[in-house]
Amino acid sequence: NVVSMLQEFWESKQQQKAAFPSEGMVVYESLPSPGPPFVSYVTLPGGSCFGNFQCCLSRAEARRDAAKVALINSLFNELPSRRITKEFIMESVQEAVASTSGTLDDADDPSTSIGAYHYMLESNMGKTMLEFQELMTIFQLLHWNGSLKALRETKCSRQEVISYYSQYSLDEKMRSHMALDWIMKEKESPGILSQELRMALRELEEARKAGQELRFYKEKKEILSLALTQIYSDPDISSPSDDQLSLTALCGYH
């Protein structure tokens, strides 16, 4: 029973006090559907999310398939090669350089993308890749909604941005902040929310069918859905308050 095996795996880690600081339960979510194929997601302690990649004819089958993908990734995450070490950082930076137009010298310059990635890895030395994934997802979302660009314009350094957001988890408050960012974008460019949501749903489905980790795509969908819900429930929604925009908070930190 793969569902029970996944549950027992994470209960064992919690008993060993080896689970994530923001530890919680294994949570399943089934998409509402009048008939097959059915889709199920499973979110692990720490926030990593996986889904069924096979075509499933029942909700129970979809849940088992999602649990199987999550269990394989949970076990794989225990391998020494998935823990951030000096050797791991060196290899990761070399791979990043090979896939971009950067150079190895950029790794020592935090003002570059390669340097920021290097800094993030070094700041998370000893963690596993699933633990590191939450911070990476936050920065993927900040890049997606334009917050990183706005922060660069305020002259905040990458180290300051990374240090600031490393203190926070991806929770309802952060989602609400990002949803309000998209509400403001919708006021400036009507229709952009629906367009982004369609793209997010397509990316989520493609990633799920490929057996990939899904949190970034799922968070995008939830943030955009939240923004649309707020717009339709309150068409005259006001601008973000002073204490509610992450950019304002970080400018104060800066």
Side-chain angles (χ1 to χ4, degrees):
N1 187 334
V2 70
V3 173
S4 296
M5 289 172 66
L6 180 65
Q7 186 68 35
E8 289 168 5
F9 173 85
W10 283 100
E11 285 178 356
S12 173
K13 285 187 69 67
Q14 289 174 349
Q15 290 170 3
Q16 298 167 12
K17 297 185 178 179
F20 293 85
S22 56
E23 62 188 47
M25 299 301 291
V26 175
V27 178
Y28 291 89
E29 175 191 352
S30 294
L31 291 189
S33 173
F38 293 98
V39 174
S40 181
Y41 298 109
V42 55
T43 301
L44 303 177
S48 293
C49 180
F50 300 92
N52 61 297
F53 68 93
Q54 295 183 347
C55 181
C56 298
L57 302 181
S58 70
R59 289 184 175 84
E61 183 186 358
R63 179 171 167 147
R64 286 194 298 271
D65 196 51
K68 179 170 63 177
V69 177
L71 181 60
I72 290 170
N73 279 275
S74 297
L75 293 170
F76 184 59
N77 191 57
E78 295 298 297
L79 296 176
S81 61
R82 300 299 290 171
R83 194 165 291 277
I84 299 176
T85 61
K86 289 184 178 180
E87 293 76 16
F88 180 92
I89 292 173
M90 186 179 301
E91 291 176 8
S92 298
V93 169
Q94 288 173 346
E95 288 175 6
V97 168
S99 63
T100 64
S101 57
T103 66
L104 280 176
D105 291 338
D106 292 338
D108 297 322
D109 183 0
S111 67
T112 65
S113 297
I114 299 292
Y117 181 55
H118 186 208
Y119 178 79
M120 287 175 69
L121 286 170
E122 287 196 326
S123 301
N124 289 270
M125 185 83 76
K127 291 185 178 180
T128 66
M129 284 307 295
L130 282 186
E131 290 174 304
F132 181 60
Q133 185 66 41
E134 181 166 19
L135 181 61
M136 283 296 294
T137 300
I138 290 174
F139 279 89
Q140 283 178 293
L141 291 169
L142 291 171
H143 174 73
W144 163 66
N145 81 342
S147 294
L148 287 184
K149 181 180 179 182
L151 289 168
R152 281 199 298 271
E153 292 171 356
T154 66
K155 306 302 182 185
C156 289
S157 70
R158 278 189 166 93
Q159 296 103 309
E160 287 172 323
V161 176
I162 292 169
S163 297
Y164 179 81
Y165 281 104
S166 295
Q167 305 171 51
Y168 297 95
S169 59
L170 190 43
D171 55 14
E172 290 300 323
K173 185 176 180 181
M174 187 175 290
R175 291 186 194 98
S176 296
H177 293 347
M178 293 189 181
L180 280 163
D181 287 339
W182 281 99
I183 289 171
M184 301 304 292
K185 292 177 189 291
E186 177 70 14
K187 288 184 176 182
E188 296 169 2
S189 305
I192 192 172
L193 262 179
S194 297
Q195 178 183 334
E196 283 287 331
L197 182 57
R198 283 194 297 271
M199 186 184 303
L201 288 170
R202 185 172 64 251
E203 291 173 344
L204 177 59
E205 183 179 14
E206 291 172 353
R208 177 181 61 80
K209 290 179 177 178
Q212 296 175 8
E213 202 279 327
L214 304 175
R215 190 172 189 190
F216 172 56
Y217 308 105
K218 196 163 180 291
E219 291 288 353
K220 282 172 67 174
K221 184 202 77 169
E222 292 180 3
I223 290 165
L224 294 166
S225 298
L226 177 61
L228 279 171
T229 300
Q230 291 183 3
I231 285 176
Y232 284 118
S233 63
D234 185 3
D236 299 319
I237 191 165
S238 59
S239 299
S241 56
D242 290 341
D243 65 341
Q244 172 268 339
L245 199 58
S246 54
L247 172 59
T248 307
L250 184 51
C251 284
Y253 166 84
H254 179 64

